[in-house]
Amino acid sequence: MRKFISGLFVLLALSLSAPAAFSQSEPVIKVGFAKCAHCTPMSLTPQYAKGVKIDAIAFNTGTDALTALVSKNIDVAQATYLHYAIALDKGFDVVAISGQVNGGSAMLVANDLAVTPNDWASLKKAIADFKAAGKPFRVAASRGNAQDIHMRGAFAKEGIDINKDVQFVNIPNPSDHLQALRRGEVELICTVEPFATQILQNKAAKLFGLPYDQAAGKLTNIILTRSDVVKDKPKQLEEVVRAVVKVGDFIAADKPALIDVISKITGLDKSVAAGAVDNLDPDPKLYRASARAIAVMMRDLKYINADVSAAVEKNMDYQFLEAVTGKPKTALGY
């Protein structure tokens, strides 16, 4: 809840510095997005909107964007599947209308570990060696984000109990992951792009693998709105989803353009952005089964209190994706 309150302050600050109002000739819809590598393409949606003016607002985090959505200060928010489950767990009115970009997670290990990339047997041996030596094998992530869930799911699938076999270290801000590795504070980190690329380019760690072989797959970003917006602004939402789909097609075909966008919004060097794009997968589909799996995992991990898997399915509205793509929902992840 503290993050949500913090998000409200962010929202207030943004509203005070907002640009001049759009022309009255077209309806305006406010779309919030976070400043992560996955999220920055949302800044392009105004260019692809027709019949509606998209006011694309950059927030520091997806939590801030979600806070603005549930407090009715914006109409649409780019968040993650985890935010979606958390919002439902808190009883908020959120409706999923599109995917956006997936991927972006990477597991990195300390340079001095005798671990072979993608070789879980070598990682398990390293963990066992630490245990035999009476030392904790420390694994880190930003608790509750997509990378945390991806890592925990991959560990569980490989029979590694994250509560017994290793010591979990929560590093809330991914921008701190680089220094944690440099200081030798952890042996493994599951982090998000572009920070993963930044760490590798600085040779602060080496790549172990991508944690996508688990129930949540590589799902990360989702586009959310509220039921009142679905009722009152259906045509505007359809145009937002159309813009999201077009932006996805654009950046999938033009990686240099995506690199420029990431660098512009995040301020990171283009070489870092260039490394990150290979681990990003534009995808507007709504993956119902994997979304349900994420909700179940979050309940099992006690990140949420209730089983919201049924609500996760119920609150996915495919009508806009169907209208934009001309495909049935069965072809759109349903």
Short mmCIF file of all heavy atoms in Angstrom, two decimals, residues 107 116-125 151 154-155 158 160 188 208 210-211:
data_model
loop_
_atom_site.label_atom_id
_atom_site.label_comp_id
_atom_site.label_asym_id
_atom_site.label_seq_id
_atom_site.Cartn_x
_atom_site.Cartn_y
_atom_site.Cartn_z
N MET A 107 18.90 -14.51 -15.70
CA MET A 107 19.58 -14.94 -14.48
C MET A 107 21.08 -14.83 -14.69
O MET A 107 21.62 -15.40 -15.65
CB MET A 107 19.18 -16.37 -14.12
CG MET A 107 17.76 -16.49 -13.62
SD MET A 107 17.37 -18.13 -12.92
CE MET A 107 17.54 -19.15 -14.37
N THR A 116 28.10 -23.54 -15.51
CA THR A 116 28.00 -23.50 -16.96
C THR A 116 26.65 -22.93 -17.38
O THR A 116 25.63 -23.33 -16.79
CB THR A 116 28.15 -24.92 -17.55
OG1 THR A 116 29.37 -25.48 -17.09
CG2 THR A 116 28.12 -24.89 -19.07
N PRO A 117 26.61 -22.02 -18.34
CA PRO A 117 25.33 -21.45 -18.77
C PRO A 117 24.31 -22.52 -19.13
O PRO A 117 24.62 -23.48 -19.84
CB PRO A 117 25.72 -20.61 -19.99
CG PRO A 117 27.14 -20.22 -19.74
CD PRO A 117 27.75 -21.40 -19.04
N ASN A 118 23.09 -22.34 -18.61
CA ASN A 118 21.95 -23.24 -18.86
C ASN A 118 22.15 -24.66 -18.35
O ASN A 118 21.38 -25.55 -18.70
CB ASN A 118 21.62 -23.27 -20.37
CG ASN A 118 21.19 -21.91 -20.89
OD1 ASN A 118 20.29 -21.29 -20.34
ND2 ASN A 118 21.86 -21.45 -21.94
N ASP A 119 23.16 -24.90 -17.56
CA ASP A 119 23.42 -26.22 -16.99
C ASP A 119 22.99 -26.21 -15.52
O ASP A 119 23.75 -25.80 -14.63
CB ASP A 119 24.90 -26.56 -17.12
CG ASP A 119 25.22 -27.96 -16.58
OD1 ASP A 119 24.29 -28.62 -16.07
OD2 ASP A 119 26.39 -28.38 -16.68
N TRP A 120 21.78 -26.68 -15.27
CA TRP A 120 21.25 -26.64 -13.90
C TRP A 120 22.04 -27.56 -12.97
O TRP A 120 22.13 -27.31 -11.77
CB TRP A 120 19.77 -27.01 -13.91
CG TRP A 120 18.90 -25.88 -14.38
CD1 TRP A 120 18.47 -25.66 -15.66
CD2 TRP A 120 18.39 -24.80 -13.61
NE1 TRP A 120 17.72 -24.51 -15.72
CE2 TRP A 120 17.65 -23.96 -14.47
CE3 TRP A 120 18.48 -24.45 -12.26
CZ2 TRP A 120 17.00 -22.81 -14.03
CZ3 TRP A 120 17.85 -23.30 -11.81
CH2 TRP A 120 17.11 -22.49 -12.69
N ALA A 121 22.60 -28.64 -13.51
CA ALA A 121 23.39 -29.55 -12.68
C ALA A 121 24.60 -28.82 -12.09
O ALA A 121 24.94 -29.02 -10.91
CB ALA A 121 23.84 -30.76 -13.49
N SER A 122 25.22 -27.98 -12.89
CA SER A 122 26.38 -27.23 -12.38
C SER A 122 25.96 -26.20 -11.34
O SER A 122 26.68 -25.96 -10.37
CB SER A 122 27.13 -26.56 -13.53
OG SER A 122 26.36 -25.53 -14.13
N LEU A 123 24.76 -25.61 -11.52
CA LEU A 123 24.27 -24.64 -10.53
C LEU A 123 23.93 -25.36 -9.22
O LEU A 123 24.26 -24.89 -8.13
CB LEU A 123 23.06 -23.91 -11.07
CG LEU A 123 22.44 -22.87 -10.10
CD1 LEU A 123 23.45 -21.79 -9.74
CD2 LEU A 123 21.19 -22.25 -10.72
N LYS A 124 23.28 -26.52 -9.34
CA LYS A 124 22.94 -27.29 -8.14
C LYS A 124 24.19 -27.72 -7.39
O LYS A 124 24.23 -27.72 -6.15
CB LYS A 124 22.10 -28.51 -8.52
CG LYS A 124 20.70 -28.18 -9.00
CD LYS A 124 19.95 -29.46 -9.39
CE LYS A 124 18.58 -29.18 -9.93
NZ LYS A 124 17.87 -30.40 -10.33
N LYS A 125 25.24 -28.08 -8.13
CA LYS A 125 26.50 -28.47 -7.47
C LYS A 125 27.10 -27.29 -6.71
O LYS A 125 27.60 -27.44 -5.58
CB LYS A 125 27.51 -28.98 -8.51
CG LYS A 125 28.81 -29.47 -7.88
CD LYS A 125 29.78 -30.00 -8.92
CE LYS A 125 31.04 -30.57 -8.26
NZ LYS A 125 31.72 -29.62 -7.37
N MET A 151 12.15 -16.47 -11.78
CA MET A 151 13.23 -17.20 -11.13
C MET A 151 12.70 -18.27 -10.18
O MET A 151 13.15 -19.42 -10.20
CB MET A 151 14.13 -16.24 -10.35
CG MET A 151 15.26 -16.92 -9.60
SD MET A 151 16.22 -15.76 -8.58
CE MET A 151 15.04 -15.38 -7.29
N ALA A 154 11.32 -21.18 -12.12
CA ALA A 154 12.38 -21.99 -12.72
C ALA A 154 13.10 -22.82 -11.66
O ALA A 154 13.41 -24.01 -11.87
CB ALA A 154 13.37 -21.08 -13.45
N PHE A 155 13.36 -22.23 -10.52
CA PHE A 155 14.00 -22.96 -9.42
C PHE A 155 13.12 -24.13 -8.98
O PHE A 155 13.60 -25.26 -8.78
CB PHE A 155 14.25 -22.02 -8.24
CG PHE A 155 15.56 -21.31 -8.30
CD1 PHE A 155 16.12 -20.93 -9.51
CD2 PHE A 155 16.25 -20.98 -7.14
CE1 PHE A 155 17.33 -20.27 -9.58
CE2 PHE A 155 17.47 -20.32 -7.18
CZ PHE A 155 18.01 -19.96 -8.40
N GLU A 158 13.19 -27.04 -11.20
CA GLU A 158 14.45 -27.79 -11.14
C GLU A 158 14.67 -28.43 -9.77
O GLU A 158 15.74 -28.98 -9.50
CB GLU A 158 15.62 -26.87 -11.48
CG GLU A 158 15.61 -26.35 -12.90
CD GLU A 158 15.77 -27.46 -13.93
OE1 GLU A 158 16.43 -28.47 -13.60
OE2 GLU A 158 15.25 -27.32 -15.04
N ILE A 160 14.81 -26.92 -6.81
CA ILE A 160 15.55 -26.08 -5.86
C ILE A 160 14.54 -25.34 -5.00
O ILE A 160 13.73 -24.57 -5.51
CB ILE A 160 16.46 -25.07 -6.60
CG1 ILE A 160 17.48 -25.81 -7.48
CG2 ILE A 160 17.17 -24.16 -5.60
CD1 ILE A 160 18.30 -24.89 -8.36
N LEU A 188 23.80 -15.04 -7.24
CA LEU A 188 22.95 -15.10 -8.45
C LEU A 188 21.89 -14.01 -8.35
O LEU A 188 21.35 -13.76 -7.26
CB LEU A 188 22.29 -16.47 -8.56
CG LEU A 188 21.39 -16.75 -9.78
CD1 LEU A 188 21.46 -18.23 -10.18
CD2 LEU A 188 19.93 -16.35 -9.53
N PHE A 208 23.70 -16.89 -16.75
CA PHE A 208 23.38 -18.30 -16.55
C PHE A 208 22.30 -18.73 -17.53
O PHE A 208 22.43 -19.76 -18.19
CB PHE A 208 22.92 -18.56 -15.11
CG PHE A 208 22.45 -19.98 -14.92
CD1 PHE A 208 23.36 -21.04 -14.99
CD2 PHE A 208 21.11 -20.27 -14.71
CE1 PHE A 208 22.93 -22.36 -14.85
CE2 PHE A 208 20.69 -21.59 -14.57
CZ PHE A 208 21.60 -22.62 -14.64
N LEU A 210 17.95 -17.75 -19.28
CA LEU A 210 16.69 -17.03 -19.24
C LEU A 210 15.64 -17.93 -18.58
O LEU A 210 15.45 -19.06 -19.01
CB LEU A 210 16.25 -16.65 -20.66
CG LEU A 210 17.29 -15.90 -21.50
CD1 LEU A 210 16.71 -15.56 -22.88
CD2 LEU A 210 17.77 -14.64 -20.80
N PRO A 211 14.96 -17.43 -17.56
CA PRO A 211 14.10 -18.28 -16.73
C PRO A 211 12.68 -18.44 -17.26
O PRO A 211 11.70 -18.21 -16.54
CB PRO A 211 14.10 -17.53 -15.39
CG PRO A 211 14.15 -16.10 -15.81
CD PRO A 211 15.02 -16.05 -17.05
#
